[in-house]
Amino acid sequence: MSYLATASLWMIPLIVVFILVYGTAKKVPTYETFVEGGKEGISMAFSIIPYLIGMLVAISMFRASGALEYVVGFLRPAMEAIGVPAEIVPLAFIRPISGTAALGMTSDLMATYGPDSFIGRLASTVQGSTDTTFYVLTVYFGAVGIKKMGDALKVGLLADLVGIVAAIVMVTLFFGGSAS
């Protein structure tokens, strides 16, 4: 086994032991603090469940209604005209909404076109260069009770757009045109 593999196996247990020893040395009641943190985690999980359910219902309705396919069909000619494969468009729309759905789409694109194809590389890069903006806003803002999230939504979606454009530019520069 290599040094790096051994180090990675022991890293988390060593961090946990370090935190426990450090906390005990500082006279912090480590077990009680751990239990209190667990209680807070459970109460936070229960408080975000309504936000998660609302988001999942909205995603399901968006996909089941055919709205995603309509938008993709509308944008397909323009995307193909600038050399972006139309197969990436659904991923670009779903990624800010749902990480799981986007991962499923990325896996499907990899299985269909191969991981070393232009589409496979572009899908991987889009997956890694954008975030699940709506999930982040729903869960984290909902957990702390922030109701006004308009500016954060605009900035998050702008960052997603920049990530998608940068992914297209970088993959095109490094791996050539849109040939599959």
Side-chain angles (χ1 to χ4, degrees):
M1 189 180 301
S2 73
Y3 172 74
L4 189 59
T6 304
S8 67
L9 278 173
W10 284 97
M11 190 59 63
I12 300 234
L14 288 174
I15 290 172
V16 170
V17 168
F18 172 77
I19 290 170
L20 291 173
V21 169
Y22 184 78
T24 303
K26 291 287 188 178
K27 308 262 192 268
V28 174
T30 52
Y31 181 75
E32 291 81 3
T33 304
F34 173 77
V35 170
E36 188 61 34
K39 286 181 189 177
E40 289 178 20
I42 289 173
S43 68
M44 183 172 292
F46 280 120
S47 73
I48 65 173
I49 286 174
Y51 297 100
L52 285 172
I53 291 172
M55 185 188 67
L56 292 174
V57 167
I59 292 167
S60 297
M61 288 174 42
F62 182 68
R63 293 184 77 190
S65 70
L68 177 63
E69 288 78 19
Y70 177 77
V71 171
V72 169
F74 179 75
L75 292 176
R76 183 178 297 267
M79 298 304 283
E80 289 177 348
I82 60 172
V84 177
E87 294 82 1
I88 295 297
V89 175
L91 176 62
F93 275 105
I94 287 295
R95 180 67 179 139
I97 299 170
S98 169
T100 304
L103 184 58
M105 287 181 172
T106 301
S107 297
D108 185 51
L109 289 170
M110 295 277 192
T112 303
Y113 299 98
D116 290 331
S117 67
F118 181 79
I119 291 174
R121 289 175 171 154
L122 184 54
S124 297
T125 309
V126 167
Q127 183 76 7
S129 63
T130 58
D131 202 355
T132 52
T133 301
F134 287 100
Y135 177 84
V136 168
L137 292 177
T138 300
V139 172
Y140 299 122
F141 280 42
V144 295
I146 297 173
K147 302 290 185 211
K148 295 181 180 179
M149 55 181 87
D151 290 338
L153 176 63
K154 291 173 193 167
V155 169
L157 291 176
L158 179 62
D160 289 332
L161 178 63
V162 169
I164 291 166
V165 170
I168 292 167
V169 169
M170 290 296 129
V171 171
T172 302
L173 285 174
F174 284 108
F175 300 110
S178 63
S180 297

